[in-house]
């Protein structure tokens, strides 16, 4: 049965996607109104996921059911105390993947071998909500990989503890604490970067660090602690103080570039992003990715320059918007089994993947169009015009493939038709002959490589 619900508990409201907002998103933009709708819809999705975890735990019965009821009750109490704060906690990007992981564990056949299901993913969210709202509570969790993580806050270190060892998060009295055995770690209520240079292997509490910390909204964090933000899990790896300072400096310049040259995208990015996950990558190219269930987050390699970081933020913002939109409306016919050539990938892509690529690279072309007009030095101006020409044509080609492929729903066709209109506008912009030739050369080189790998089987 469903867990009990009162008007004061987290609840998924209804959402209406009107034609004007759909049109704006499909054109490559959206603005504050669209981002507000998508963000609130993702909140509803998180509430549904959390309640599904509780429901499945109830079906299991026993200790799991009791733990689930306690976590849901604590979330409800925190929501009554400070609903906006609980909204922030539930929409933190790692919460979605974590609840899906917990739900999968609970729904696994009980007869299969393996460890018993854990409700730590749900309980940790409730504990984070208690810490952030100041609600008095005592929450039991377990240690993993020498620590205990609270989403949107940070990680307590217990290097001598074994996996599965119990720990208690307490928010009663003064400062919140986490205790495992005889070791107690204090959780600071306020985020501070003052002592980052003094972190070492013995630092008991690793706080998430803020790239942006406005007074009127949630912080944008550089999350190098939460494994649920990386595809397939795994620890992102704590940045050193030097690495953190480089990230912060490059990010500040990239953010200023967005505000100066791409102001509408800066507004959207500020509305959407809650976390950036840093990851290592080859030095000759930038790597970025996003997850369908981690709205408001992107995994980015160490940026080579502010311009590269600004581009990656805009690119992944498009993926974030489209992922959230497809949670509201189906754009692709399910189970089609068809694969297509994508001018930006080395592997054949399914319809949903190709749609994501078209939308993201239309945004990339729009980025370079604006950057082309703003660039003062010759090298950046040349790069901008070549990249603009290459990606507008590549997105147009792939979008026509989608429209002709019979793999889109009615809403998907309307979406692709609006992208066609935007791409046609981009195609009317003149490009110098030399830049056009270089863009086509790069496109031909990619297609030739792809055909060498896949042409015989295609």
């Amino acid at each position: 049965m469903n867990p009990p619900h009162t008007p004061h508990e987290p609840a998924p409201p209804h959402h209406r996607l009107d034609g004007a907002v759909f049109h704006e998103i499909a054109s490559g933009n959206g603005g504050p109104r669209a981002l507000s709708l998508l963000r609130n819809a993702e909140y509803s999705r998180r509430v549904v996921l959390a309640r599904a975890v509780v429901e499945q735990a109830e079906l299991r019965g026993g200790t799991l059911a009791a733990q689930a009821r306690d976590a849901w009750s604590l979330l409800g109490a925190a929501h009554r105390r400070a609903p906006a704060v609980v909204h922030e906690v539930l929409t933190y990007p790692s919460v979605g993947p974590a609840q899906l992981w917990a739900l999968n564990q609970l729904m696994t056949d009980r007869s299969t071998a393996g460890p018993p299901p854990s409700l730590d993913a749900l309980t940790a969210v409730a504990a984070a909500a208690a810490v952030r709202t100041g609600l008095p509570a005592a929450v039991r969790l377990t240690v993993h990989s020498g620590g205990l993580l609270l989403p949107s806050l940070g990680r307590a270190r217990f290097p001598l503890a074994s996996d599965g060892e119990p720990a208690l998060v307490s928010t009663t009295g003064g400062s919140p604490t986490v205790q495992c055995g005889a070791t107690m770690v204090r959780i600071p209520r306020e985020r501070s970067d003052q002592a980052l240079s003094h972190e070492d292997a013995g630092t008991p509490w690793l706080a998430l660090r803020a790239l942006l910390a406005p007074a009127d909204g949630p912080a944008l964090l550089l999350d190098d602690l939460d494994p649920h933000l990386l595809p397939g899990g795994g620890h992102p790896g704590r940045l050193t103080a030097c690495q953190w300072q480089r990230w912060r400096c490059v990010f500040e310049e990239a953010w200023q570039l967005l505000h100066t040259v791409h102001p509408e995208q800066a507004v959207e990015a500020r509305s959407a992003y809650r976390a950036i996950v840093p990851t290592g990558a080859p030095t000759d190219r930038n790597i970025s990715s996003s997850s369908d269930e981690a709205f408001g987050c992107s995994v980015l390699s160490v940026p080579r320059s502010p311009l590269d970081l600004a581009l990656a933020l805009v690119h992944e913002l498009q993926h974030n918007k489209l992922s959230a939109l497809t949670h509201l409306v189906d754009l692709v016919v399910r189970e089609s089994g068809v694969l297509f050539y994508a001018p930006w990938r080395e592997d054949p892509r399914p319809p949903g993947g190709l749609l994501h690529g078209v939308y993201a690279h239309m945004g990339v072309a729009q980025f370079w169009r604006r950057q082309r007009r703003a660039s003062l030095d010759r090298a950046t101006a040349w790069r901008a015009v070549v990249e603009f020409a290459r990606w507008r044509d590549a997105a147009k080609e792939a979008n026509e493939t989608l429209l002709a492929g019979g793999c889109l729903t009615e809403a998907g066709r309307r979406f692709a038709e609006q992208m066609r209109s935007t791409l046609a506008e981009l195609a009317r912009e003149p490009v110098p002959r030399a830049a056009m030739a270089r863009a086509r050369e790069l496109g031909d080189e990619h297609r030739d490589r792809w055909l060498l790998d896949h042409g015989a089987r295609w």
Side-chain angles (χ1 to χ4, degrees):
M1 63 185 247
N2 288 325
H5 169 69
T6 75
H8 298 294
E9 292 177 342
H14 296 287
H15 302 279
R16 181 176 179 272
L17 178 64
D18 64 42
V21 171
F22 184 84
H23 173 91
E24 282 300 311
I25 296 173
S27 71
N29 300 307
R33 181 183 173 197
L35 267 295
S36 177
L37 170 70
L38 297 177
R39 185 176 60 250
N40 288 331
E42 288 299 299
Y43 166 75
S44 295
R45 185 176 179 85
R46 303 295 176 77
V47 173
V48 170
L49 282 173
R51 292 186 68 175
V53 170
V54 177
E55 180 179 349
Q56 289 298 317
E58 290 273 15
L59 293 175
R60 290 270 187 160
T63 303
L64 283 175
Q67 290 174 346
R69 286 192 295 268
D70 288 345
W72 185 256
S73 176
L74 182 56
L75 268 176
H79 187 266
R80 289 190 292 275
R81 187 182 186 96
V85 175
V86 174
H87 189 290
E88 280 189 24
V89 173
L90 281 171
T91 54
Y92 191 70
S94 67
V95 170
Q99 302 317 303
L100 279 175
W101 178 85
L103 193 58
N104 181 65
Q105 293 292 305
L106 288 165
M107 296 178 71
T108 299
D109 186 350
R110 302 182 197 187
S111 65
T112 59
S118 169
L119 285 180
D120 275 5
L122 177 64
T123 307
V125 173
V131 170
R132 293 190 56 182
T133 61
L135 179 70
V139 184
R140 296 193 179 278
L141 288 159
T142 53
V143 172
H144 296 281
S145 302
L148 186 149
L149 185 135
L150 296 179
S152 81
L153 287 170
R155 177 179 169 88
R157 279 177 167 171
F158 301 105
L160 301 181
S162 303
D163 279 5
E165 194 166 333
L168 181 70
V169 178
S170 174
T171 58
T172 58
S175 175
T177 61
V178 186
Q179 183 160 359
C180 178
T183 304
M184 178 179 289
V185 176
R186 297 195 177 276
I187 307 172
R189 289 192 182 275
E190 300 298 328
R191 184 173 289 109
S192 174
D193 298 336
Q194 297 302 312
L196 292 177
S197 61
H198 303 298
E199 280 189 0
D200 56 34
T203 302
W205 175 257
L206 300 179
L208 291 177
R209 297 174 282 202
L211 291 166
L212 289 174
D216 58 348
L220 170 53
L221 305 176
L222 193 72
D223 194 329
D224 50 4
L225 298 174
D226 199 325
H228 288 291
L229 290 175
L230 281 179
H235 198 287
R238 184 66 165 178
L239 298 184
T240 65
C242 182
Q243 290 170 327
W244 156 244
Q245 291 298 341
R246 169 168 170 75
W247 259 100
R248 183 160 63 175
C249 289
V250 177
F251 182 87
E252 287 177 358
E253 292 186 50
W255 201 251
Q256 183 59 45
L257 173 62
L258 286 179
H259 275 280
T260 303
V261 183
H262 314 272
E264 293 182 4
Q265 286 64 42
V267 171
E268 288 189 357
R270 185 65 200 95
S271 181
Y273 278 121
R274 295 284 307 282
I276 300 297
V277 180
T279 184
T283 57
D284 62 335
R285 63 194 183 106
N286 294 305
I287 303 294
S288 66
S289 65
S290 299
S291 166
D292 286 350
E293 294 297 340
F295 179 78
C297 174
S298 292
V299 180
L300 302 177
S301 61
V302 179
R304 293 180 298 179
S305 70
L307 177 60
D308 288 317
L309 179 54
L311 172 62
L313 288 169
V314 169
H315 182 151
E316 297 304 328
L317 174 64
Q318 298 302 93
H319 286 300
N320 271 261
K321 288 190 293 185
L322 187 55
S323 292
L325 180 67
T326 55
H327 289 158
L328 293 173
V329 57
D330 288 329
L331 301 178
V332 174
V333 177
R334 299 183 184 277
E335 306 296 339
S336 67
V338 182
L339 297 175
F340 299 99
Y341 167 70
W344 41 77
R345 294 280 298 219
E346 301 303 321
D347 56 335
R349 301 299 290 156
L354 188 62
L355 178 64
H356 259 279
V358 172
Y359 189 65
H361 283 84
M362 182 176 73
V364 167
Q366 291 170 315
F367 175 93
W368 286 117
R369 182 195 202 186
R370 295 184 296 268
Q371 196 63 44
R372 171 190 181 186
R373 296 168 177 174
S375 297
L376 300 178
D377 67 280
R378 184 173 299 180
T380 304
W382 169 254
R383 179 187 176 190
V385 71
V386 171
E387 297 276 15
F388 166 67
R390 183 182 181 192
W391 299 123
R392 73 170 184 186
D393 291 352
K396 180 178 183 295
E397 173 193 344
N399 193 51
E400 293 304 317
T401 298
L402 276 173
L403 283 165
C407 54
L408 300 176
T409 64
E410 181 181 347
R413 284 198 65 84
R414 292 201 307 272
F415 194 89
E417 290 284 1
Q418 180 55 48
M419 288 198 296
R420 173 189 271 171
S421 177
T422 298
L423 291 164
E425 178 191 348
L426 296 180
R428 288 191 288 270
E429 183 158 328
V431 172
R433 184 178 300 175
M436 194 71 248
R438 179 56 180 157
R440 287 173 177 162
E441 181 182 23
L442 290 169
D444 290 343
E445 289 174 358
H446 181 276
R447 185 183 292 274
D448 289 344
R449 289 197 309 271
W450 194 91
L451 287 174
L452 281 174
D453 290 337
H454 306 290
R457 297 183 280 114
W458 212 245

